[in-house]
Amino acid sequence: MPSALKGLKILDFSTLLPGPFATMYLADMGAEVIHVESPTRPDLVRIMPPYANGQATAHSYLNRNKQSIALDLKDPANIERIKQKISEMDIVIEQFRPDVMRRLGLDYATLAEINPRLIYCSITGYGQTGDYKDRAGHDINYLALSGIAGHSGRQDGGPPPLGIQVADVAGGSLHAVIAILAAVVERQRSGLGQYIDISMTDCAVSLNAMAAAASLAGQTAQAPEQGILNGASFYDYYQTRDGRYFAVGSLELQFMSALAAALDLPILMAKGASFAVEDRQAVKQALQEKLISQDFAVWQQLFQGLDICVEPVLSLDEALHSPMAKQRGWVVDVPLFAQSEQTEAQLACPIKFSRSQPQYAFIGQGLGEGQW
């Protein structure tokens, strides 16, 4: 079956996580991605442990299906080579700080003169304008400035250092993919490309969907453990006797009623929907006392037969080898190189089409192994 984005050609100057994650999705869906890398300053993802099959696992995953080209962008000859090839490209993605590409002579204005149909996407921490545009940052900084960290975690414990990079991926990567594909659709009407300014902090702010809607409407700003979904209600995690956890999300009346019956906790039905702080705390305490009275396996056996929005908190390894992972195809075996019989297990593209299929041609290449 044909890939959804077959025919799109992308020139990717990005490093680390946000840009490469975005172009991996586009490559999985069939786009041809040429990844331009420095021959002297390796991408940190290339050297970050752990390793498998001779290279970093993160690099092998984030750069699968892409051609790796080593070019020194300080060499004028390489800049001219890129300009000669730019008319063949549909999309450029870069992740340098503002004005770097302009100083190199590879900014949107310059390249659009050569190829007016070019779509050009810049991903940065704070965008192309404003006082923060030249500041360094990482995911934890973007989450701090976006307000997300400010209403996450526990009142007595502070914001949690998350196990994933929310602003990098949900903010930068996925918003970049949305914007690029929207620009491709618009180009079909206008015949022209355009410039896209993606700020990971801007995009992270937009993830405050429910809390920000309330705050901007003049309601009290949400703080840790003050909202229904961030720890104030019984919608929370509860520890079992052996130190494992269950996620309880039984907010709707039918789920709340079934959970109260399953655990023999009438207080849940009596006070579970209350907005009073003391009622909420009483319900949470009753739930915790009940869950901590038995081991994880006991509750898992009970809850797996009930449709009440209660699920076990799995380790990543458990999740990746779970029945759901197999049934939904979370993991795919990717050849080490084109036509190779040796493979490496990686996360699959989660987007499922009725006709188009993702492609898994090869894992991330060694530096400069690609062709252009």
Side-chain angles (χ1 to χ4, degrees), residues 40 80 137 143 252 300:
T40 57
E80 286 307 311
L143 294 181
E252 292 84 354
Q300 189 170 34

Side-chain angles (χ1 to χ4, degrees), residues 295-345:
D295 288 345
F296 180 84
V298 173
W299 296 122
Q300 189 170 34
Q301 184 174 3
L302 172 67
F303 292 134
Q304 68 184 3
L306 301 175
D307 185 27
I308 56 174
C309 301
V310 178
E311 300 295 348
V313 175
L314 302 179
S315 69
L316 178 57
D317 192 59
E318 288 174 331
L320 294 177
H321 295 88
S322 66
M324 184 185 295
K326 294 180 175 63
Q327 294 161 8
R328 293 294 297 169
W330 289 1
V331 179
V332 65
D333 291 324
V334 182
L336 299 190
F337 51 88
Q339 311 304 321
S340 171
E341 294 184 359
Q342 288 184 279
T343 62
E344 183 172 309

Side-chain angles (χ1 to χ4, degrees), residues 204-223:
V205 170
S206 73
L207 302 178
N208 287 296
M210 298 180 71
S215 181
L216 292 173
Q219 303 301 309
T220 302
Q222 181 167 281

Side-chain angles (χ1 to χ4, degrees), residues 121-140:
C121 179
S122 296
I123 303 174
T124 58
Y126 305 113
Q128 301 295 310
T129 60
D131 293 340
Y132 272 70
K133 70 183 182 68
D134 294 317
R135 289 176 70 91
H138 279 300
D139 193 83
I140 195 170

